[in-house]
Amino acid sequence: MVDEFDFFRKVRAYYNNVPFLVQFTYRLSHRVDKAVTARGSFSCRVNPHTQIVEYVIDLRSDSISRPYSEHSSFLFSSLYDEIPAQSIELNQFLIQALRYPLPIEYDWQAFVMSGAEDAVNMQTIQQLFKKWRFKSKDEQPVDGKLKVGQVLLQWQL
């Protein structure tokens, strides 16, 4: 059994800036996707007043750019707006909040690690990327057609 203050202290110490890697693609032109990598880390915060563990991520991708391209065929026409060099950046983004039960008579590390694997995975990162829009030269939002291929948590406990 762990008391709540000890739980708070250990979660902050052990689960601060845990690195992860995201491999994804973006649409470069008609049927051509380009692979990119993003490096991130997640940290856990504990709010003892509400009994919630919060998972917060920081993420920065490699530079992404795309020239203007247009593809026409007999059946369809595809237009891809230019994306000037930029990267995806998320800072202190709250991705999940879990209520932890009291008293803490369970394996709290397994609880936190399970929550992290639920928070930082292909589906949740893909949902974040669906909302992400790059900016064109004239500051208009551009969809890069991002598709997450793999998310790797790097546990070092």
Side-chain angles (χ1 to χ4, degrees), residues 73-136:
S73 71
F74 178 69
L75 297 175
F76 62 91
S77 175
S78 298
L79 174 69
Y80 296 99
D81 293 326
E82 179 181 0
I83 299 175
Q86 55 196 286
S87 60
I88 298 171
E89 288 189 51
L90 299 171
N91 295 311
Q92 295 295 302
F93 187 84
L94 178 64
I95 195 164
Q96 179 165 294
L98 290 177
R99 182 174 291 279
Y100 60 90
L102 286 178
I104 304 172
E105 298 174 333
Y106 49 89
D107 185 356
W108 63 270
Q109 286 184 307
F111 172 79
V112 172
M113 290 173 77
S114 171
E117 289 168 355
D118 287 345
V120 184
N121 60 39
M122 281 181 52
Q123 291 80 21
T124 56
I125 300 297
Q126 182 65 53
Q127 289 301 313
L128 285 176
F129 282 5
K130 276 186 179 180
K131 297 175 186 173
W132 186 267
R133 294 290 182 259
F134 295 103
K135 300 286 185 196
S136 66

Side-chain angles (χ1 to χ4, degrees), residues 38-95:
R39 287 156 190 77
S41 65
F42 80 85
S43 299
C44 290
R45 300 186 297 214
V46 177
N47 186 337
H49 301 293
T50 58
Q51 296 176 350
I52 291 180
V53 176
E54 298 174 333
Y55 295 85
V56 178
I57 65 169
D58 289 315
L59 179 80
R60 182 174 173 84
S61 74
D62 295 339
S63 183
I64 294 171
S65 65
R66 174 176 72 194
Y68 173 82
S69 66
E70 185 174 3
H71 176 82
S72 295
S73 71
F74 178 69
L75 297 175
F76 62 91
S77 175
S78 298
L79 174 69
Y80 296 99
D81 293 326
E82 179 181 0
I83 299 175
Q86 55 196 286
S87 60
I88 298 171
E89 288 189 51
L90 299 171
N91 295 311
Q92 295 295 302
F93 187 84
L94 178 64
I95 195 164

Side-chain angles (χ1 to χ4, degrees), residues 19-23 37-41 59 120 150-154:
F20 65 91
L21 191 67
V22 178
Q23 295 173 335
T37 302
R39 287 156 190 77
S41 65
L59 179 80
V120 184
Q150 190 174 24
V151 175
L152 302 168
L153 282 170
Q154 298 168 349

